[in-house]
Amino acid sequence: ITTVLAIIISSLAGYGFEIFKSKKREALFKLLLLSMMLPFAAMMIPLFKMFTSLGLLNTDIAIILCGCASAFLIFFFRQNTKAFPRELIEAARVDGLNEFSIFFKIYIPTMMGSVVMETGKNIKDRLLFMHSRLMEGKMLYKAEESKRFNCSLRSIQRDIDDLRAFF
């Protein structure tokens, strides 16, 4: 679920950053790139407070929402959109398509190679580097759930070790 959401949200954001002109677009994109330099430990307390105030603490939705967008993916899709022919978008607008129709009916099928490649990379990264995301799981689950969660973490860690040994 997280990978599909990450691909959809990040590709929409990358498409929007490149296609739509705005005075603040470049400043916002630079701020997004700067966010890649922040370690997760610096974002733990604000994330915890945010999920607590939303009532999402101790739910699976909190874990999914933590990984549903990625600054790197947005950057990747923006770079791919720069290579996308603007004439196709203009022709679709002349034919009467709205922006979501252009995105899902023209952009995504044309850029399917990039979408598939990034989906595979995202899944591989989530499997091989799961240990770096275990901290957010421990942060978002309360103490009574932590026994069950720690057992599943050990199981995931064994799977990761097996995958690393295989590759």
Side-chain angles (χ1 to χ4, degrees):
I1 294 173
T2 306
T3 299
V4 172
L5 279 175
I7 295 297
I8 291 172
I9 291 170
S10 299
S11 61
L12 273 168
Y15 176 83
F17 266 120
E18 187 56 31
I19 297 301
F20 301 113
K21 306 294 182 203
S22 169
K23 293 178 182 179
K24 305 281 184 190
R25 179 181 70 162
E26 291 303 317
L28 187 61
F29 190 69
K30 287 176 184 174
L31 185 66
L32 178 78
L33 291 179
L34 281 173
S35 73
M36 290 174 50
M37 295 180 202
L38 285 175
F40 180 72
M43 296 184 290
M44 275 178 57
I45 294 173
L47 275 175
F48 181 79
K49 286 182 178 181
M50 181 179 70
F51 285 124
T52 302
S53 68
L54 292 173
L56 294 176
L57 196 64
N58 208 20
T59 63
D60 294 334
I61 295 171
I63 301 291
I64 292 170
L65 288 177
C66 276
C68 73
S70 162
F72 175 75
L73 283 176
I74 294 171
F75 171 75
F76 176 80
F77 282 112
R78 182 181 184 202
Q79 293 304 108
N80 279 324
T81 306
K82 286 183 179 191
F84 190 76
R86 299 252 185 206
E87 293 80 17
L88 286 175
I89 295 171
E90 292 169 8
R93 285 182 183 149
V94 168
D95 287 342
L97 288 178
N98 64 18
E99 291 301 323
F100 281 108
S101 296
I102 292 170
F103 179 78
F104 286 110
K105 292 180 180 178
I106 296 173
Y107 177 78
I108 290 293
T110 306
M111 304 301 280
M112 190 55 73
S114 299
V115 171
V116 169
M117 190 274 304
E118 218 28 70
T119 302
K121 181 187 171 304
N122 199 320
I123 290 171
K124 178 194 71 112
D125 288 350
R126 289 191 189 283
L127 289 174
L128 292 179
F129 302 110
M130 184 71 77
H131 65 281
S132 65
R133 289 296 186 157
L134 297 181
M135 192 183 330
E136 71 188 34
K138 284 186 176 183
M139 175 190 73
L140 295 172
Y141 277 96
K142 289 185 180 177
E144 63 267 6
E145 294 286 324
S146 66
K147 289 181 183 176
R148 181 182 64 140
F149 189 71
N150 283 333
C151 291
S152 65
L153 291 182
R154 280 190 223 108
S155 169
I156 290 170
Q157 190 63 46
R158 281 194 301 270
D159 293 343
I160 290 170
D161 293 339
D162 291 343
L163 280 171
R164 285 198 175 148
F166 180 73
F167 289 107

